Amino acid sequence: MRPADTSDLWWRTAVIYCLDIETFQDSDGDGVGDLEGLANRIEYLAELGITCLWLMPFQPTRDLDDGYDITDFYGVDPRLGDLGHVVELLRIAHGRGMRVIIDLVVNHTSDRHPWFVAARRSTRSRYRDYYVWRDRPPRGRPKHPVFPGEEQSVWEKDERSGQYYLHSFYRHQPDLNLENPDVRAEIARIVGFWTKLGVDGFRIDAVPFLIQPPGAADETDPHAFLRELRRFAGRRAGHAVLLGEVGLPHRDQLDYFGGSETELDLQFDFVTAQTAFLAFVRGDARPLAKVLRRRPTIDVRQGWATFLRNHDELSLELLEKDERAAVFAALAPDEKQRVYGRGIVRRLAPMLGGDPRRLRLAYSLLFSLPGAPVLFYGEEIGMGEQPELGDRAAVRSPMQWDRGAYGGFSATRPSRSITGIPDSGYGPDHVNVHDQLRDPDSLLSFVQVLISRYRAAPEIAWGEFTVLDAGEHAVLAHRCRADDRAVLFLHNFSDEPRHVELKTADVGGDRLHDLLAGGAEQAEDGRFVFDLAAYAQRWLRITEMERS
Ligand code: NOJ
């Protein structure tokens, strides 16, 4: 685990921060965030310890799905800036040692994209076959639209030709036809363009939908595209990462990492995220321990992107029925907090009742798990959701920088609300960067410490991962070990104190140094004894290791 061996694979230890330029910082007072505003905040992100920015879509858009409906893959939404601003941003971020990845949204285009406009105008257009057309909606997969309630079917009739086109998401997002080599060539050009401009990789949207068009010929290997894409990206920018959104169980995710040839370098770990919420709700670490023990081993060049919240609903799809019901009941008691029958449109802090102990537990867990942690903007200060923005937009309100008018986000009223629910306790007056930066006990200060400890302990992402038997259902004990370095982590999910004893033989050493609170612990009679307060977390470096 020498830096010389690991730095090429920078994504394995990246600390990723996801943001939407539109809601991060407005620089010109029009109420919409922009690239220049973000550039002015790079310092903040660098100080926080972020090593990789993930920019949500910023290209020209019809804006019916928050930018995930692109009308020009080579441009910039004029409200946010232009390509010159992108280059400036890349230069500034790189100058502060931060990499930048962008969303690659090529499962579909906007229905206003010139390709689709042309495809619709004439069945003889060369762009007709860029999309997936059928004479009538076929039976079989996919049966359900991704946004049930908002869409009834994944097939929409085109009145002009009488044919139906596929849209896995909204009807204004027609799916591209990956079977068409011209479409694959277009995608390669898009990847080539942005890597040439300087981006360090892509978060690939909706990967399973992208590579598995319904009705594809049986002999087609859908994964061939991902391998091809990985090879191409590697040729254009050797260090570029492909981080995929694959919302499937671990065993199915394995296929997307690839076999002898790499497909995705990183994948979001949806199962662990969902199970973590179950553990928070039940005060029981066992489901999490089980999932983590079974998490498949992957190639050393690949990794998991761990997270708790993102810009979408907190989906509970991968939990069992009773588990899902328990999480819904505890975290989204109000029907309006739920969407699509599967998810919760809330931010982390209010879901955990704003309890600083529970928030610390959650973030400590996130940064202690093997993988590259991903933060969604505003989560580091404990922002709340704004339900009046509607469904998924509830968690996409403007960043709260200070107590000033409009939370320091803009000089004028933002295009999206920043007022919060009356008396919610999560508006800019209560939750903002400025105040928390000056408070050593704030959530922001804690997250900053966790990031620096995570970065100083590469064995978390690189090492051998073991879940220990803590002897207490509420406590997760795990260890990450590489070469002669190891860290032991303890997390108490209960609202009651818990007593844990671990044998030195299981820990793998008999002296521990506390990385969060300072101080040391010496084993006695071959064991360590820990009295953990409610929701406590410990990060303990094993300083006198037993040889294995
Ligand atoms: C997944 C994105 O995370 C989500 O926000 C978007 O609506 C869909 N893909 C469609 O692009």
Side-chain angles (χ1 to χ4, degrees):
M1 211 188 48
R2 297 173 315 140
D5 303 327
T6 57
S7 68
D8 278 349
L9 306 171
W10 61 270
W11 52 83
R12 295 232 17 211
T13 48
V15 180
I16 304 173
Y17 190 93
C18 167
L19 64 90
D20 186 357
I21 295 161
E22 190 183 337
T23 51
F24 202 60
Q25 177 70 69
D26 174 19
S27 74
D28 57 6
D30 65 356
V32 180
D34 44 50
L35 281 152
E36 212 173 325
L38 168 57
N40 295 337
R41 293 294 188 182
I42 288 293
E43 217 57 47
Y44 161 74
L45 296 166
E47 287 304 306
L48 181 57
I50 302 305
T51 62
C52 177
L53 286 185
W54 155 22
L55 304 180
M56 287 167 63
F58 54 79
Q59 289 84 357
T61 172
R62 200 179 160 192
D63 213 12
L64 294 179
D65 184 13
D66 230 344
Y68 283 90
D69 47 338
I70 292 174
T71 55
D72 173 8
F73 288 108
Y74 298 102
V76 175
D77 178 343
R79 297 172 310 146
L80 312 182
D82 56 31
L83 282 176
H85 293 117
V86 174
V87 170
E88 281 307 296
L89 175 73
L90 290 171
R91 197 185 61 87
I92 294 167
H94 289 159
R96 288 303 317 252
M98 232 180 278
R99 285 169 167 112
V100 181
I101 65 173
I102 66 172
D103 249 292
L104 181 68
V105 189
V106 289
N107 171 67
H108 46 265
T109 67
S110 161
D111 61 354
R112 297 276 167 85
H113 192 290
W115 297 340
F116 193 66
V117 174
R120 231 176 180 173
R121 201 174 292 139
S122 162
T123 50
R124 288 196 308 274
S125 161
R126 64 172 287 233
Y127 294 108
R128 183 75 177 180
D129 193 42
Y130 270 38
Y131 297 89
V132 184
W133 300 94
R134 294 289 182 272
D135 289 336
R136 59 191 62 81
R139 291 170 194 273
R141 206 179 55 85
K143 288 202 185 72
H144 311 289
V146 177
F147 303 127
E150 296 186 51
E151 294 294 349
Q152 308 311 320
S153 159
V154 293
W155 295 97
E156 179 72 8
K157 188 168 186 185
D158 170 49
E159 290 305 337
R160 192 170 181 142
S161 63
Q163 283 193 312
Y164 292 78
Y165 65 85
L166 173 71
H167 61 90
S168 298
F169 296 90
Y170 293 113
R171 72 187 71 180
H172 50 77
Q173 292 167 317
D175 278 31
L176 282 166
N177 175 17
L178 235 70
E179 296 247 282
N180 181 343
D182 290 344
V183 170
R184 296 204 298 271
E186 296 277 7
I187 295 174
R189 284 207 305 140
I190 295 164
V191 166
F193 175 81
W194 290 104
T195 47
K196 188 75 183 166
L197 216 62
V199 309
D200 303 286
F202 301 88
R203 176 267 187 193
I204 309 181
D205 191 59
V207 180
F209 299 91
L210 169 67
I211 68 167
Q212 278 166 329
D218 281 349
E219 67 273 12
T220 319
D221 170 11
H223 289 268
F225 168 75
L226 283 181
R227 290 193 292 273
E228 203 180 290
L229 189 68
R230 180 55 277 176
R231 279 198 300 266
F232 176 80
R235 286 199 301 276
R236 292 301 175 93
H239 72 291
V241 68
L242 299 184
L243 158 60
E245 184 198 26
V246 181
L248 298 174
H250 282 149
R251 61 176 179 281
D252 298 333
Q253 286 188 285
L254 276 181
D255 290 344
Y256 292 80
F257 279 120
S260 55
E261 202 182 338
T262 305
E263 295 182 20
L264 298 170
D265 305 295
L266 278 180
Q267 289 186 57
F268 293 105
D269 187 346
F270 285 95
V271 182
T272 301
Q274 297 179 25
T275 312
F277 282 93
L278 180 67
F280 298 145
V281 162
R282 289 196 171 156
D284 186 345
R286 283 175 299 174
L288 196 54
K290 187 166 150 197
V291 158
L292 289 168
R293 278 196 176 109
R294 291 184 181 175
R295 190 162 75 159
T297 311
I298 49 178
D299 189 272
V300 70
R301 288 161 302 178
Q302 298 169 314
W304 300 102
T306 49
F307 69 100
L308 292 169
R309 286 297 291 116
N310 63 18
H311 63 288
D312 288 326
E313 75 279 7
L314 163 62
S315 173
L316 305 173
E317 228 171 358
L318 300 171
L319 298 179
E320 299 294 335
K321 208 168 160 207
D322 61 316
E323 299 174 336
R324 191 177 316 135
V327 180
F328 267 140
L331 302 184
D334 185 341
E335 198 54 48
K336 289 204 278 295
Q337 296 166 328
R338 307 177 185 183
V339 279
Y340 316 133
R342 64 166 181 258
I344 300 179
V345 278
R346 303 190 70 193
R347 278 187 177 262
L348 181 72
M351 276 196 284
L352 298 186
D355 184 337
R357 299 171 305 168
R358 296 181 79 195
L359 286 168
R360 283 170 178 245
L361 173 77
Y363 284 112
S364 169
L365 175 73
L366 174 65
F367 285 95
S368 73
L369 292 178
V374 187
L375 283 173
F376 179 51
Y377 79 93
E379 289 292 308
E380 75 277 23
I381 52 172
M383 269 170 60
E385 67 276 357
Q386 297 196 20
E388 66 273 31
L389 294 179
D391 291 347
R392 291 181 299 159
V395 302
R396 302 175 184 181
S397 57
M399 182 67 178
Q400 297 173 184
W401 295 102
D402 59 39
R403 289 170 188 242
Y406 315 124
F409 163 75
S410 173
T412 32
R413 177 170 291 284
S415 61
R416 294 184 203 199
S417 158
I418 193 165
T419 50
I421 326 145
D423 295 320
S424 68
Y426 293 96
D429 280 353
H430 304 275
V431 176
N432 67 70
V433 170
H434 179 274
D435 290 354
Q436 292 197 25
L437 275 179
R438 284 154 189 78
D439 175 2
D441 293 327
S442 67
L443 180 61
L444 179 60
S445 299
F446 185 64
V447 171
Q448 206 163 15
V449 168
L450 290 174
I451 294 178
S452 87
R453 299 294 181 274
Y454 169 86
R455 290 179 59 181
E459 60 266 52
I460 297 176
W462 281 98
E464 175 202 336
F465 170 73
T466 316
V467 177
L468 306 180
D469 182 6
E472 271 290 347
H473 295 164
V475 177
L476 179 73
H478 70 277
R479 188 189 59 189
C480 299
R481 174 178 185 162
D483 305 333
D484 54 353
R485 300 164 58 99
V487 184
L488 169 72
F489 301 94
L490 298 171
H491 290 93
N492 178 12
F493 287 78
S494 168
D495 57 357
E496 300 279 342
R498 285 287 183 266
H499 178 86
V500 169
E501 295 189 11
L502 293 176
K503 293 198 197 87
T504 49
D506 295 336
V507 170
D510 51 18
R511 195 170 166 80
L512 302 171
H513 171 69
D514 193 318
L515 293 175
L516 297 180
E521 309 241 359
Q522 186 68 45
E524 277 177 32
D525 302 329
R527 63 185 58 231
F528 290 102
V529 176
F530 303 99
D531 283 307
L532 301 173
Y535 304 122
Q537 68 289 146
R538 307 281 303 269
W539 286 40
L540 301 155
R541 175 167 292 293
I542 305 170
T543 49
E544 281 172 23
M545 295 203 23
E546 284 176 359
R547 299 276 151 219
S548 53

